[in-house]
Amino acid sequence: LPEDEKMLYGEFKKDFIWSSATASYQIEGAWREDGKGLSIWDKFTHTPGKISEHDTGDVACNSYNKMEDDIAALKKVKVSHYRFSISWPRILPDGTTKYINQAGLNYYKKLLDSLIAANIEPQVTLYHWDLPQALQDVGGWENETIIERFKEYADVLFENLGPKVKLWITFNEPFVITVLGHVQGAHAPDTLPYIVGHNIIKSHAEAWHVYNDKYRASQGGLVSITVNSDWAEPRNPYKQEDYEAARNVVEILNLIFNLLHPLMSSLIQFLLEFLFSRLPEFTPEEIKRINGTYDYFGLNHYCSVLAFPVDFGTTQHFEADRGVVVISDRTWLETGSVWLRMTPFGLRRLLKFIKDEYRNPPIIITENGVSENGPVDLNDVHRKYYYEKYINQVLKAYLLDDVNIIGYTAWSLLDNLEWGVGYTERFGLFYVNRTDPDLPRTPKASVSFYSSIISCNGFPDPASGPQECWNPT
Ligand code: GBH
């Protein structure tokens, strides 16, 4: 075996966060129940031709009405934490605090109480892509007034739910919101400019300051943001320019933490100018306001890519702006999603990169997981393999590279609405039978596998650890 793939025995730190995740639009359903307003994803999925098989989140996993089932699933996995997101239009139907929908707040209060009763701590995301349509109608993230709207929304959540929450995530993947939602149109709302990224960063900073000024002293939680970052290797390891292309890919995906970081390197300044050349510059006061507004590094990671530079001339699209194209190596194992190949080695390298680049922040992996498509097979060996290899790479980063890793989150608890590809790709630890109107959750084989890693807090040496822990096969 190459050094990279050898398993390492050992355990994570005490009180390690072991979690699994979902997002409101992907699981809740109940799209018009109890006063919920419409979101941009309601509109997008109801637009013909946008989603595979005309799938929508109208019902999804019906988690809005099946909370008990979800809690039972979490208990079965034995997670210490559960990451879910709040549907903004369920709380504020037109996006503003003019009207607060008490039924929506009650749903999340009840969810928090049920989790706490089950001894599971919540990790709550404020924005996992389902913007109130009413705000989109006035420009959404392109309109800078959204910064104030987001700040007010965050304030409502901190005030009403904050006493029960210790871990907050403002935005899930600003890069996806900006590039897929606005630059490429693969996601809602399908409009163009990068200005969205600029406004998201400011919105995040305002929410962090609200928490810091008004709630931190009494609630004592942590607030951060989550980026999606692949790891990138040079396509040709003998070409210097491919190394630079790979480095740029990773820098750009993590860009937001450079802005939040008190010290901006000259490389970052260069990248910012280059990528966001059509954007207003942040003023020194704005930079000051943004700097340092994170309490940990939130990371969603799925796979690695190979990078090389391409000059697209004057064409305007994201790859052209970046000047880099990424591909995968055909020897890497495939999964149920074309963009996702099994590359466990990259996660350790990425964690080491984050440690070095951002001065050793505490890191929470807020998503990591794998999909299948096609016929149902509850014996998901590929997922067991994926979790075993990836989580072991996280252990190596912790024990061998001294990375300050404090948590790991498996995406996803349930098979759910996988955005543009609908229900055709399934990331769940639990299978959700969509042909049964009751939408029962059935554990896949990976549930007991992940659960044993959790119970053993990693991969203790079987010679000294409990017998039911991971054993080399
Ligand atoms: C996560 O994003 C999301 O947070 C989560 O909601 C989602 O269910 C999960 O991934 C699984 O997809 O099809 O070539 O356009 C992960 C980052 C970035 C991965 C966009 C998929 C689309 C590539 N995602 N990417 S492509």
Side-chain angles (χ1 to χ4, degrees), residues 26 128-129 172-173 176 300 302 339 367 411 418-419 427:
Q26 295 181 274
H128 201 128
W129 309 352
N172 184 67
E173 305 183 345
V176 170
N300 289 354
Y302 289 84
W339 54 271
E367 283 180 29
W411 182 272
E418 178 52 19
W419 306 113
F427 280 82

Side-chain angles (χ1 to χ4, degrees), residues 97-268:
T97 49
K98 248 182 284 160
Y99 174 71
I100 299 179
N101 180 30
Q102 202 56 44
L105 271 180
N106 288 346
Y107 167 68
Y108 294 109
K109 278 189 186 158
K110 187 169 165 217
L111 176 56
L112 290 171
D113 286 338
S114 311
L115 287 169
I116 292 162
N119 210 9
I120 299 166
E121 283 197 49
Q123 284 164 283
V124 184
T125 309
L126 276 61
Y127 187 77
H128 201 128
W129 309 352
D130 41 358
L131 185 74
Q133 180 61 40
L135 292 182
Q136 186 60 44
D137 293 341
V138 294
W141 296 108
E142 292 170 52
N143 180 341
E144 66 179 1
T145 61
I146 194 137
I147 300 165
E148 195 57 28
R149 298 292 86 76
F150 186 75
K151 181 179 165 184
E152 292 161 356
Y153 165 58
D155 202 337
V156 169
L157 298 189
F158 295 150
E159 183 183 343
N160 289 280
L161 308 177
K164 303 177 202 285
V165 179
K166 290 282 174 275
L167 284 173
W168 293 100
I169 297 164
T170 54
F171 286 90
N172 184 67
E173 305 183 345
F175 178 91
V176 170
I177 302 167
T178 308
V179 175
L180 273 79
H182 294 80
V183 179
Q184 295 176 340
H187 278 198
D190 191 4
T191 68
L192 287 176
Y194 284 115
I195 184 80
V196 163
H198 184 94
N199 289 334
I200 289 175
I201 292 165
K202 287 187 184 169
S203 303
H204 158 80
E206 289 313 312
W208 187 91
H209 281 291
V210 167
Y211 192 81
N212 206 46
D213 298 345
K214 275 176 78 174
Y215 300 102
R216 190 185 293 279
S218 59
Q219 299 183 355
L222 304 177
V223 181
S224 199
I225 190 165
T226 273
V227 295
N228 55 300
S229 182
D230 302 341
W231 177 248
E233 291 284 331
R235 179 177 66 166
N236 182 340
Y238 299 102
K239 279 193 174 162
Q240 187 54 35
E241 63 260 41
D242 286 12
Y243 277 95
E244 282 158 21
R247 173 82 183 194
N248 280 355
V249 166
V250 180
E251 293 281 5
I252 288 172
L253 285 166
N254 291 282
L255 196 63
I256 197 152
F257 275 97
N258 291 299
L259 275 173
L260 303 183
H261 195 283
L263 294 175
M264 241 193 272
S265 69
S266 53
L267 170 69
I268 298 314

Side-chain angles (χ1 to χ4, degrees), residues 22 110 118 219 257 281 292 333 370 380 460:
T22 60
K110 187 169 165 217
Q219 299 183 355
F257 275 97
E281 268 181 54
L333 287 178
V370 71
D380 54 343

Side-chain angles (χ1 to χ4, degrees), residues 4 10 32 60 64 78 97 100 107 120 122 134 140 258 269 297 329 334 343 364 374 381-382 400 408 456 458:
D4 260 350
R32 291 195 289 198
Y64 188 73
K78 299 204 194 75
T97 49
I100 299 179
Y107 167 68
I120 299 166
N258 291 299
Q269 250 150 23
F297 193 109
D329 186 309
E334 292 179 275
T343 48
I364 302 179
V381 281
H382 64 296
L400 308 180
Y408 176 88
C456 302

Side-chain angles (χ1 to χ4, degrees), residues 6 19 33 39 42 48-49 55 84 99 142 149 168 194 213 226 239 287 289 366 377 416 468:
K6 275 189 208 150
S19 186
E33 267 172 61
S39 81
D42 291 315
D55 285 335
F84 65 91
Y99 174 71
E142 292 170 52
R149 298 292 86 76
W168 293 100
Y194 284 115
D213 298 345
T226 273
K239 279 193 174 162
I287 300 235
R289 182 108 181 124
T366 44
D377 182 2
N416 59 42
E468 64 278 13

